Amino acid sequence: MNFVRDDLKRLRAPFTLTATLIVLGVGALVVSSNYLDAARDAQNASRQGRSAAQDRVSKVSEEERDIRENLKYFEQMRTSGIVGVQNRLDWIEAIAKIKNTRKLFEVKYSIEAQKLLDYPGVVSSPNAEFVVSRMKLDMMLLHEGDLLDFLDDLQTEGRAYVNIKRCTVTRTAPGTATALQPRLRAECLVDLVSVKGIKPA
């Protein structure tokens, strides 16, 4: 089959239309592909944003739970008297009460002036200072239980955290001593730790 010049002229318009349609089709594919990529990017960004928002909500909930726990702990400290200004007279009264209640033989002690706590890792803040009063304790005992009971009562009756730094117990009387004679002597170094100047929200 032979094409003549007139046939080519007649086919020029369909060829042009076909080429135009092909170009438009390719363009539509490219544009739709770009739109699809953009939609996928938006979807991924939305997922990441939702995940980040969920993480923030989870973190806020965790911080809120921590704050509630800290407030509960603060209230326990405040109720027990660990928070606030310490009065030496409170300690004198607490020790006298324990001695009388437990019917202890002899309790000698001296309490140093209060100073900033210098334990490793414990840092005071502008709103709260950890302070300590060091107490030297000298007790005459019937048995070791007297010392343990005294220290336990001191934690309960006192208005601070009782941290025992050192305790030595020595025998003062032979094993044949009477039941009502102290046989042991305890010498202890005790830190009375409290919080001063704390301001709860």
Side-chain angles (χ1 to χ4, degrees), residues 5 21 43 48 61 70 90 117 196:
R5 187 180 297 256
L21 291 175
Q43 185 181 33
Q48 290 174 355
S61 299
N70 288 337
D90 292 337
L117 187 68
K196 183 174 72 173

Side-chain angles (χ1 to χ4, degrees), residues 42-55:
Q43 185 181 33
N44 290 336
S46 175
R47 284 177 181 166
Q48 290 174 355
R50 187 167 58 249
S51 176
Q54 288 173 344
D55 288 344

Side-chain angles (χ1 to χ4, degrees), residues 67-83:
I67 289 170
R68 272 199 305 269
E69 289 298 320
N70 288 337
L71 285 175
K72 189 190 304 180
Y73 184 59
F74 168 79
E75 184 59 26
Q76 290 173 351
M77 287 173 38
R78 191 189 64 75
T79 304
S80 67
I82 293 177
V83 175

Side-chain angles (χ1 to χ4, degrees), residues 43-156:
Q43 185 181 33
N44 290 336
S46 175
R47 284 177 181 166
Q48 290 174 355
R50 187 167 58 249
S51 176
Q54 288 173 344
D55 288 344
R56 284 195 296 272
V57 169
S58 176
K59 187 175 181 181
V60 167
S61 299
E62 185 177 338
E63 288 174 354
E64 184 181 350
R65 188 165 53 251
D66 289 344
I67 289 170
R68 272 199 305 269
E69 289 298 320
N70 288 337
L71 285 175
K72 189 190 304 180
Y73 184 59
F74 168 79
E75 184 59 26
Q76 290 173 351
M77 287 173 38
R78 191 189 64 75
T79 304
S80 67
I82 293 177
V83 175
V85 178
Q86 297 301 313
N87 188 339
R88 192 176 294 258
L89 184 60
D90 292 337
W91 287 110
I92 294 171
E93 290 175 352
I95 292 171
K97 180 181 176 183
I98 296 168
K99 181 177 183 295
N100 292 333
T101 302
R102 293 286 182 181
K103 297 180 172 50
L104 300 173
F105 284 92
E106 182 180 282
V107 180
K108 295 180 182 178
Y109 61 92
S110 63
I111 302 175
E112 297 177 4
Q114 196 174 72
K115 63 179 182 180
L116 284 177
L117 187 68
D118 61 353
Y119 288 179
V122 178
V123 181
S124 295
S125 73
N127 294 328
E129 291 181 334
F130 291 95
V131 291
V132 59
S133 297
R134 183 155 288 179
M135 179 173 70
K136 293 179 181 176
L137 184 64
D138 189 349
M139 293 179 62
M140 301 302 293
L141 313 168
L142 274 177
H143 49 78
E144 295 88 343
D146 286 343
L147 174 61
L148 298 177
D149 290 338
F150 175 85
L151 293 173
D152 186 55
D153 290 350
L154 189 65
Q155 178 70 72
T156 304

Side-chain angles (χ1 to χ4, degrees), residues 137 147 151 164-169 185-190:
L137 184 64
L147 174 61
L151 293 173
I164 303 163
K165 302 294 288 182
R166 183 179 68 246
C167 255
T168 55
V169 179
R185 179 179 183 180
E187 295 176 287
C188 299
L189 204 59
V190 179

Side-chain angles (χ1 to χ4, degrees), residues 18-39:
T18 302
T20 302
L21 291 175
I22 291 172
V23 170
L24 289 175
V26 171
L29 284 175
V30 170
V31 169
S32 63
S33 177
N34 288 339
Y35 275 124
L36 182 60
D37 290 343

